[in-house]
Amino acid sequence: MSTLGSLRAAWRGDRFAHAFILLLPVIQYGLNYFVSVAAFLFLLTAWNTRWRIVPLPSALVFVAAGASLLFCAVVLPDEPNLLRETRFTIGFVFLFVALWGKPRHAVERVDGRFALGMMILLFLITAVQWLAAKKGIALFPPQRLFVESGDHALASVWVEHAREHGYAWTLRPAATFSEPSYLGCVTLVLHFLCLHTLRSRLRWLAFVVALATSLLAQTYFGLVANLLIFGAFNASRIPKAFVLVTGVFVLSASLLALDSGVLPASVMARTGRLERIVSGQDESVGIRIAQPFTLLGQVLVHAPFGVPMSATQSYFERHHLIVPFEDAPLQNGVFNLLFAYGWLAFPLLVLLWRAAGGGITGLLMLLMMAQNGAPLDFDKLALIVFAIQIARHGRYRSALTERTRLVRWPRAPRPRHYRVPAAGRPPLHLPEI
């Protein structure tokens, strides 16, 4: 059978999963939040999942959301958006019931070549954008295609602004997405699917493509996340002492080279963002990791039940912890959950880690939540549930294969050989009974 014929047969095996993968490049497009590709994929994922009602986590989510809203209404002057808070609560509960449930589609027939092909396509688009940007040509998606069409962080908006004011622009490629870090998030999901559905050589190819895409887009989230997922998947095959020594050596050498200035000027110019990250001056890392970590203590001490997500920014501005009209430190979904539910967020995250299965699947869930400040939006819910469903079947299949290989089946009993008298010998004497 030809490659095209085998792909056509594989497509019929699980049409939902393969269609989901093919729609990933346009997941951020739509007329509004509820009429969008992300909402469509969320509905498909919810329909193709057998939900399992889990009373304890679901009740804890409602208690945490109610306590946060009540504390805000009684103690704080900030006004949350009740409709958005209701949507966040329902999304959180859906995450529990879907992760504890089972897929209704044929996950055992998912072909990882679709995910690998989509990764290669995104890499090619990223490479074309990168080469075009070097020549001053903007090949970014139009602003009107995105759900958040008024977002001033879109690449097309920056290019239009630069052309209107007559100055040069330098933007990182993001393929068909709004920002490079979201490209890193989608690449991470596709890489994760490839690790659980492909054989060894194609897994290495997917890993190389994921790193190359992240490097071209200069998304350090994508680079670090893909390295962590690949390392976690192969942790049992790599000696831990080798990983520890190599990691310490690479980190020490990088810090020493950046601090002592032994790198050439051209290399330093290309690794300018890496230098800003190490020195703590990178804005993206600051609003995703450093600043949220410093603000967490303020919330846990003065708002133990948390501040609703829709009122967090006004709360920080009122306490002069952030500056208005600038990028707020709310671009990390994990910290946003801690801000929203206070101390109750810690047991919720532990229960969510267990619902995801822990290990590499729990790591994937936390990384995807930390990519931006919307951990409970339609796109993240659909991506998390879809990826973990397929990974669970891949882990079960590999564990079953390993168990079958290690089982020692009982040997068949040796046949007994009886002496047969030779032709020239007299027959054996049989005693009379």
Side-chain angles (χ1 to χ4, degrees):
M1 183 182 294
S2 63
T3 304
L4 183 60
S6 63
L7 287 175
R8 191 177 301 169
W11 165 268
R12 293 192 294 267
D14 192 347
R15 289 184 173 88
F16 159 70
H18 299 141
F20 189 104
I21 293 172
L22 296 181
L23 287 175
L24 284 182
V26 296
I27 193 173
Q28 290 187 306
Y29 298 168
L31 297 177
N32 53 54
Y33 183 78
F34 294 97
V35 184
S36 61
V37 179
F40 176 68
L41 292 179
F42 170 77
L43 292 176
L44 285 182
T45 306
W47 177 259
N48 285 278
T49 302
R50 290 189 180 94
W51 300 4
R52 179 183 175 186
I53 305 301
V54 279
L56 176 61
S58 303
L60 188 57
V61 170
F62 285 111
V63 169
S68 178
L69 290 172
L70 184 62
F71 180 82
C72 183
V74 174
V75 180
L76 304 177
D78 307 285
E79 295 183 2
N81 188 328
L82 294 181
L83 292 179
R84 289 188 62 190
E85 296 300 326
T86 303
R87 177 167 60 84
F88 293 152
T89 304
I90 294 175
F92 211 161
V93 173
F94 168 79
L95 205 54
F96 277 110
V97 300
L99 290 178
W100 279 105
K102 295 181 180 180
R104 296 174 59 184
H105 57 101
V107 290
E108 69 278 1
R109 297 183 180 180
V110 175
D111 196 329
R113 291 177 296 175
F114 285 90
L116 181 60
M118 188 55 60
M119 285 183 65
I120 295 174
L121 176 63
L122 292 176
F123 168 74
L124 294 177
I125 297 174
T126 305
V128 170
Q129 286 182 348
W130 181 76
L131 292 175
K134 292 289 185 182
K135 303 294 183 181
I137 304 173
L139 294 179
F140 301 104
Q143 178 184 0
R144 63 180 182 275
L145 296 179
F146 293 93
V147 173
E148 298 290 341
S149 57
D151 188 2
H152 297 288
L154 295 176
S156 57
V157 178
W158 280 94
V159 172
E160 188 66 26
H161 180 75
R163 288 174 176 174
E164 289 178 357
H165 292 77
Y167 56 82
W169 53 271
T170 302
L171 294 175
R172 295 178 290 159
T176 60
F177 306 105
S178 60
E179 56 179 344
S181 64
Y182 203 94
L183 169 63
C185 178
V186 174
T187 304
L188 172 66
V189 173
L190 294 173
H191 180 205
F192 184 78
L193 296 179
C194 291
L195 290 176
H196 290 87
T197 55
L198 294 177
R199 297 185 180 274
S200 179
R201 292 183 180 179
L202 294 181
R203 289 173 187 166
W204 278 98
L205 177 60
F207 173 64
V208 172
V209 174
L211 291 188
T213 307
S214 301
L215 288 174
L216 275 181
Q218 299 179 38
T219 164
Y220 286 95
F221 167 80
L223 185 63
V224 173
N226 281 289
L227 284 173
L228 287 176
I229 287 295
F230 186 78
F233 184 81
N234 295 282
S236 60
R237 304 177 182 88
I238 303 176
K240 294 179 175 58
F242 174 77
V243 175
L244 180 62
V245 172
T246 304
V248 171
F249 174 76
V250 172
L251 181 61
S252 303
S254 302
L255 294 177
L256 180 63
L258 290 172
D259 184 63
S260 59
V262 298
L263 293 176
S266 59
V267 178
M268 289 294 290
R270 294 177 183 176
T271 58
R273 193 180 177 207
L274 180 60
E275 185 180 8
R276 293 197 304 271
I277 292 175
V278 174
S279 61
Q281 299 177 357
D282 186 77
E283 183 178 0
S284 179
V285 175
I287 63 178
R288 281 182 168 89
I289 300 177
Q291 296 179 27
F293 188 77
T294 57
L295 296 177
L296 182 59
Q298 164 76 19
V299 174
L300 295 179
V301 172
H302 298 282
F305 295 103
V307 182
M309 287 190 190
S310 55
T312 307
Q313 186 165 355
S314 63
Y315 172 81
F316 288 145
E317 290 178 356
R318 186 167 51 81
H319 286 81
H320 305 288
L321 297 174
I322 61 176
V323 180
F325 308 111
E326 291 190 4
D327 287 334
L330 305 173
Q331 302 299 320
N332 189 318
V334 177
F335 279 102
N336 284 356
L337 293 178
L338 296 174
F339 293 154
Y341 303 120
W343 289 100
L344 291 177
F346 291 101
L348 280 175
L349 289 176
V350 172
L351 291 175
L352 194 59
W353 172 275
R354 292 193 60 187
I360 188 173
T361 52
L363 177 63
L364 174 81
M365 180 190 63
L366 293 181
L367 288 173
M368 293 182 63
M369 284 187 166
Q371 183 268 323
N372 61 14
L376 301 176
D377 279 358
F378 287 149
D379 55 342
K380 290 298 180 64
L381 295 176
L383 287 172
I384 290 173
V385 173
F386 176 76
I388 291 180
Q389 283 179 351
I390 296 178
R392 279 176 177 170
H393 176 75
R395 292 171 62 180
Y396 170 76
R397 182 172 54 187
S398 61
L400 184 62
T401 304
E402 184 71 15
R403 185 181 302 176
T404 305
R405 187 177 62 86
L406 293 178
V407 166
R408 293 184 177 181
W409 299 100
R411 295 181 179 180
R414 293 182 178 181
R416 294 185 178 182
H417 299 282
Y418 298 95
R419 292 181 60 185
V420 179
R425 297 180 182 178
L428 295 176
H429 175 71
L430 298 177
E432 296 182 358
I433 298 177

